[in-house]
Amino acid sequence: MIGISNLTVRFGGVLSLAGVTVDFPGGACGLIGPNGAGKTTFFNVLSGFVVPVEGSVDADGVDLLAMPDFKRARWGVRRTFQTEQAIESLTVFDNVRTVLEHTSKHGKDSARTQVLDAVEFCGLGAQVYARVGTLSPRERRLVEVARAVVGSPKLILLDEPGAGLPEAESEHLGTVIRQIPDHVGATVILVEHDMSLVRKCCDWTAVLDFGRLLSCGPTEDVLRDPTVLAAYLGQEVEA
């Protein structure tokens, strides 16, 4: 479980996160909300890029905010970004291996096994030695996921991994994300605007709006919540 208490972030006079308190129960969880709701700031706090002015993050009994960012990576925090981070000139194998080298200690044989397992898990076994710059958009997204799941992570933050993908291709991506908790034992938090992908992947979802927690709970219940429908999904609700 990831326990968030009174998380508050200010950028000058802008309150990006306003006392957010929420527990992510494990498995695959969604984090949704309109643009500017504070979702990326939330990820930046958990991964160490932003220091909150107040609040705490308890990750399976560990005080995550007490660690510098590089120790969080070694502890088991992984994340993807809205913009691709994979190195185009390197192969899929080398891209995933690079992440592993900076996050855990291992022998050469163990490292190779872990990298190949992550690549196969994401369905990229046939492209393992292809350069990332030659891959399709769907395959490049899956490389990002492979980089996130390698090396026994504990918390995986996925920032809009399905952005720009057609429905048929996001379907496979959703299947992979759904299987991550069982495959690697990590909690997944998925930021995504594609509600079909959120429904497919996440049993539990939280909603942010203007830096505040709007709703949280089982995904289908949250997506039927009148306040969520009004604030995020664009449906009018009677007063």
Side-chain angles (χ1 to χ4, degrees), residues 80 92-93 96 113-128 135-151 153 156 158 161 165 169-181 183-184 188:
T80 66
V92 173
F93 182 94
V96 178
T113 298
Q114 291 183 64
V115 171
L116 292 177
D117 178 70
V119 172
E120 289 285 351
F121 170 71
C122 293
L124 293 172
Q127 292 83 19
V128 64
L135 302 181
S136 69
R138 179 187 71 87
E139 291 167 338
R140 292 161 70 102
R141 294 285 181 174
L142 290 169
V143 172
E144 300 284 350
V145 176
R147 285 160 52 93
V149 302
V150 73
I156 298 175
L158 301 177
L165 294 181
E169 294 185 354
S170 66
E171 183 76 13
H172 172 66
L173 177 65
T175 300
V176 172
I177 294 172
R178 177 79 182 185
Q179 294 172 347
I180 289 175
H183 185 74
V184 302
V188 175

Side-chain angles (χ1 to χ4, degrees), residues 79-167:
R79 73 169 291 183
T80 66
F81 295 81
Q82 294 177 16
T83 56
E84 295 177 4
Q85 301 296 304
I87 303 170
E88 293 188 352
S89 61
L90 295 182
T91 65
V92 173
F93 182 94
D94 287 338
N95 264 280
V96 178
R97 174 66 185 267
T98 298
V99 172
L100 186 63
E101 287 178 345
H102 288 85
T103 55
S104 59
K105 295 181 179 180
H106 45 73
K108 184 176 181 180
D109 291 341
S110 172
R112 178 177 175 80
T113 298
Q114 291 183 64
V115 171
L116 292 177
D117 178 70
V119 172
E120 289 285 351
F121 170 71
C122 293
L124 293 172
Q127 292 83 19
V128 64
Y129 297 117
R131 295 187 184 277
V132 167
T134 67
L135 302 181
S136 69
R138 179 187 71 87
E139 291 167 338
R140 292 161 70 102
R141 294 285 181 174
L142 290 169
V143 172
E144 300 284 350
V145 176
R147 285 160 52 93
V149 302
V150 73
S152 301
K154 296 182 177 70
L155 173 61
I156 298 175
L157 311 172
L158 301 177
D159 198 348
E160 297 190 33
L165 294 181
E167 182 177 352

Side-chain angles (χ1 to χ4, degrees), residues 7 21 35 43-44 53 58 68 89 99 104 106 159-160 182 193 210 213 220 234:
L7 200 61
T21 296
N35 289 330
F43 272 13
N44 286 341
V53 297
D58 182 290
S89 61
V99 172
S104 59
H106 45 73
D159 198 348
E160 297 190 33
D182 288 336
H193 288 289
F210 292 106
L213 183 68
E220 289 302 327

